[in-house]
Amino acid sequence: MCGRFVVANVGSELVGVLRVDLEGDDLPLPSFNIAPTDPASIVLDSAKTEPPTRRLERARWGLVPGWAKDPSVGTRAFNARSEELEDKPMFRGALQKRRAVVPASGYYEWQRADGGKVPHYIHPIDDAPLFFAGLYEWWKDPAKAADDPSRWMLSFTILTRDAHGPLASVHDRMPVFMDPDHADAWLDPTAENARDILDAAVDAAEEVSDGLEARVVSSAVGNVRNNGPELIAPISS
């Protein structure tokens, strides 16, 4: 799974390789401890234009489908198992038309050990941007006026798969990592073979994971109030 992640850069500095056309005005600041319900930046292709416009937008972590009565449902939908999307009403519609890429610098995972869990920071060895496959939804707040621009909330979830290679010794699940080529295909809202695209990306995620390293970090990351570069500093295991 992926329950915390890091974005140390913002805007085109992080996602230039994805050729974003439009960046939102209210993108979140860098954060070293993004937790579910926190804001983060996502990349999506808007089908409202022809050709689609690739946008970098602020979104809440934890998917809130349009039919939800309130956003609290998103607190338990921060991850989605890639092999089960079609079986879950929460994710089925988004898989077909609302696919996203979540840029990150790295993420945290907790390894079970005698006496508790040990936090690890997992990131590209070369510190290049890391891209997670995601889904997004728009939710309309019925309590707000129709002309209130804050009435619409954008939210997202991160897809996961079985862990591969050395990462499997830390946790049995990992995000579906994407290289830029698979990200382009995944983001295309006109593509009708979403499952085929995802299956190819799931397979390719193994190669991306081979370029990652995991290091033990401070247990301070377990407190969502803690935030700073010291959280990703290595410590002796």
Side-chain angles (χ1 to χ4, degrees), residues 76-188:
R76 58 181 184 273
F78 57 91
N79 283 168
R81 298 174 73 94
S82 60
E83 64 270 28
E84 298 178 356
L85 298 178
E86 289 91 343
D87 301 327
K88 306 291 185 180
M90 175 79 75
F91 308 120
R92 188 184 301 139
L95 172 63
Q96 298 307 317
K97 294 295 183 182
R98 293 176 293 279
R99 300 181 291 274
V101 168
V102 184
S105 304
Y107 71 103
Y108 299 105
E109 198 55 85
W110 279 258
Q111 182 184 43
R112 294 185 181 276
D114 293 340
K117 296 181 179 180
V118 179
H120 289 66
Y121 177 58
I122 300 170
H123 67 103
I125 296 172
D126 61 1
D127 289 325
L130 188 60
F131 302 119
F132 306 141
L135 304 173
Y136 74 90
E137 288 279 11
W138 287 98
W139 179 76
K140 182 171 63 175
D141 188 343
K144 294 184 177 180
D147 60 351
D148 186 340
S150 67
R151 188 183 192 193
W152 290 94
M153 183 181 74
L154 180 63
S155 64
F156 71 97
T157 189
I158 293 172
L159 305 190
T160 67
R161 53 151 286 168
D162 289 338
H164 167 74
L167 296 188
S169 67
V170 179
H171 196 277
D172 62 352
R173 303 288 294 182
M174 70 181 191
V176 175
F177 307 116
M178 286 196 153
D179 59 38
D181 288 339
H182 285 94
D184 278 336
W186 175 248
L187 288 170
D188 184 359

Side-chain angles (χ1 to χ4, degrees), residues 11-23 42-46 51-56 101 103 129 131 179-188:
S12 57
E13 185 177 4
L14 181 61
V15 297
V17 68
L18 294 183
R19 301 183 301 280
V20 170
D21 300 313
L22 182 66
E23 296 182 14
I42 67 171
V43 178
L44 59 88
D45 277 8
S46 173
T53 301
R54 182 157 297 177
R55 296 162 50 185
L56 180 65
V101 168
F131 302 119
D179 59 38
D181 288 339
H182 285 94
D184 278 336
W186 175 248
L187 288 170
D188 184 359

